[in-house]
Amino acid sequence: MGEQPIFTTRAHVFQIDPSTKKNWVPASKQAVTVSYFYDSTRNSYRIISVDGSKVIINSTITPNMTFTKTSQKFGQWADSRANTVFGLGFSSEQQLAKFAEKFQEVKEAAKLARDKSQEKTEASSNHSQESGRETPSSTQPSSINGTDDEKACHAGPVEAHLKSENDRLKSAVAQGTTNAKKWETELQTLRDSNARLIDSLEESATNVEQWKKQLAACKEESDHLRIKIAELEAQCEEAEIQKENNAKLSLRLEELKADIQEKDLELENLRKQAEIIPQLMEECESMTQKLQTAELKNQEMGNRMETLQADIGESELKQSMLKSELKKFMDVLDGKIDELHEFRQGLSKLGVDN
């Protein structure tokens, strides 16, 4: 049946820069199809991606491979046969998670396939060795107890069987030697890849230290810039305060100008009034004379008032004397009236008696 796709997704494909072993180089200008293929004849798995007519990923999955998530949407794996590191950028975390799960499943399947292949090789080798050991023992009785004709009859098939078993054993040993050489080659390739990865990790650690130093320098520069920004903000605040003060001073200046204009108007009015001052002086002198005349009249009236007050005092004394005399007279009159009343009462009594 050949190779069949078992999982397909879309992602941006990257490869590690072979010169620096640090930077990623885009292998596709846009998101392309990335698929897992299963080869039933060879019992192997591959990741294949094609951009137009160009094959950008052709990676056979081995049990030693590891897919690593380096960010929320990016993952990578190293291919020692291709001598490179592939990276995939997905549009979502879910796509990355599904691809990583499928990678792990395919990796386990490749491991099981390798183990089964080793078991088959070992079983065939053991079977060949056992058959090689058992065949001579089975022919011993016939060779000992049988006749020469039986020996001749049995010798041909046994030799053919032994020859075929030896040939199969030789082919199995050759296949095992070939597989051993292949595994040694893969092991050496993996060692070389691990050495390169260790170098890359050491270089990355050195770069990390350099980046840490650069980050510390950037932080110091950032702190220095923050201080400068704070100083500039303080200066801006001072400038704003100065602008407000200038605005207040401008308003005060306008108010002072308005006051000066009012004072100028008042001064002009005073000048106009100063022109009228001589007339006012003359009027004031005439008023002063009239006032003096009025004061003289007031003095005369005062003298008259004093005279009138003296006359009033004398009249009041006279009135008080008249009042006292009148009171005495009223008292005498009251006494006379009482006597007259008593006299009338006496007369009335006399009339009654008569």
Side-chain angles (χ1 to χ4, degrees):
M1 292 179 65
E3 284 185 313
Q4 296 293 331
I6 58 175
F7 179 81
T8 301
T9 185
R10 294 184 66 83
H12 292 271
V13 180
F14 299 86
Q15 288 186 4
I16 200 72
D17 190 352
S19 59
T20 61
K21 297 293 183 182
K22 292 187 297 182
N23 300 324
W24 289 105
V25 178
S28 62
K29 295 181 180 179
Q30 58 186 359
V32 295
T33 301
V34 182
S35 302
Y36 286 93
F37 280 83
Y38 173 62
D39 189 352
S40 58
T41 57
R42 290 186 291 181
N43 198 16
S44 62
Y45 296 87
R46 287 196 300 168
I47 299 176
I48 297 175
S49 179
V50 179
D51 186 8
S53 61
K54 180 181 177 183
V55 178
I56 54 179
I57 298 179
N58 185 7
S59 177
T60 301
I61 299 175
T62 63
N64 297 322
M65 287 184 178
T66 302
F67 185 80
T68 305
K69 296 179 183 179
T70 57
S71 67
Q72 294 180 349
K73 299 180 182 180
F74 192 86
Q76 65 182 41
W77 77 95
D79 190 345
S80 58
R81 294 180 180 178
N83 193 20
T84 186
V85 179
F86 293 102
L88 296 179
F90 296 90
S91 60
S92 66
E93 298 180 20
Q94 291 78 10
Q95 290 183 351
L96 175 59
K98 289 180 181 178
F99 189 89
E101 291 175 1
K102 198 65 181 178
F103 193 96
Q104 187 65 27
E105 292 177 5
V106 171
K107 177 182 173 181
E108 294 294 332
K111 185 177 179 181
L112 291 174
R114 186 188 67 178
D115 294 340
K116 289 181 180 179
S117 177
Q118 290 179 355
E119 289 175 0
K120 287 181 180 179
T121 304
E122 291 175 358
S124 63
S125 178
N126 292 332
H127 180 70
S128 298
Q129 291 176 0
E130 289 175 359
S131 63
R133 286 196 300 269
E134 291 174 356
T135 302
S137 64
S138 64
T139 58
Q140 283 178 0
S142 62
S143 62
I144 293 172
N145 298 322
T147 62
D148 292 338
D149 293 334
E150 290 175 351
K151 291 178 182 179
C153 291
H154 288 288
V158 169
E159 287 179 358
H161 181 68
L162 287 174
K163 187 176 180 180
S164 63
E165 288 295 329
N166 287 331
D167 292 338
R168 191 162 62 84
L169 183 61
K170 286 180 182 179
S171 63
V173 171
Q175 184 68 28
T177 305
T178 303
N179 290 334
K181 289 181 180 179
K182 183 178 179 182
W183 293 336
E184 287 178 358
T185 304
E186 290 183 358
L187 180 61
Q188 186 63 34
T189 304
L190 288 173
R191 287 175 179 173
D192 295 338
S193 178
N194 288 333
R196 286 194 296 271
L197 289 174
I198 290 170
D199 294 336
S200 298
L201 288 173
E202 291 177 353
E203 188 176 359
S204 298
T206 305
N207 292 330
V208 167
E209 293 296 330
Q210 292 179 357
W211 292 339
K212 285 181 179 180
K213 292 179 181 178
Q214 292 178 0
L215 181 61
C218 290
K219 284 183 178 179
E220 291 179 359
E221 187 177 358
S222 178
D223 294 335
H224 184 63
L225 290 174
R226 285 177 182 172
I227 293 170
K228 284 187 176 179
I229 289 170
E231 292 177 353
L232 291 173
E233 287 179 352
Q235 291 178 1
C236 289
E237 289 178 358
E238 291 179 357
E240 292 294 332
I241 294 170
Q242 190 66 32
K243 285 181 180 179
E244 291 178 359
N245 292 332
N246 290 333
K248 291 179 180 179
L249 290 174
S250 299
L251 293 174
R252 182 60 180 166
L253 183 61
E254 294 295 330
E255 291 176 357
L256 291 173
K257 286 182 179 178
D259 292 338
I260 290 170
Q261 290 178 357
E262 291 179 358
K263 296 296 182 183
D264 290 337
L265 291 174
E266 290 179 359
L267 183 60
E268 186 67 27
N269 293 328
L270 290 173
R271 286 176 181 174
K272 291 179 180 180
Q273 291 178 3
E275 294 176 356
I276 308 171
I277 286 174
Q279 297 177 0
L280 294 175
M281 291 293 291
E282 293 177 357
E283 292 179 358
C284 185
E285 288 178 356
S286 63
M287 292 296 292
T288 304
Q289 291 178 356
K290 290 179 179 179
L291 183 60
Q292 289 176 356
T293 304
E295 286 179 354
L296 291 174
K297 290 181 178 180
N298 286 332
Q299 288 179 358
E300 291 178 355
M301 293 296 290
N303 293 328
R304 289 181 181 179
M305 287 292 292
E306 289 178 357
T307 305
L308 291 171
Q309 285 179 355
D311 295 337
I312 290 168
E314 290 178 358
S315 62
E316 287 178 353
L317 288 174
K318 290 178 180 179
Q319 284 179 1
S320 63
M321 289 173 69
L322 288 173
K323 284 180 180 180
S324 61
E325 290 179 356
L326 182 60
K327 186 176 182 181
K328 289 176 181 181
F329 177 76
M330 290 298 291
D331 292 335
V332 174
L333 183 61
D334 289 334
K336 296 295 184 182
I337 290 170
D338 290 335
E339 290 177 356
L340 182 59
H341 183 64
E342 291 175 357
F343 179 72
R344 283 180 179 177
Q345 285 179 355
L347 288 177
S348 62
K349 287 179 180 180
L350 288 175
V352 174
D353 290 338
N354 293 327

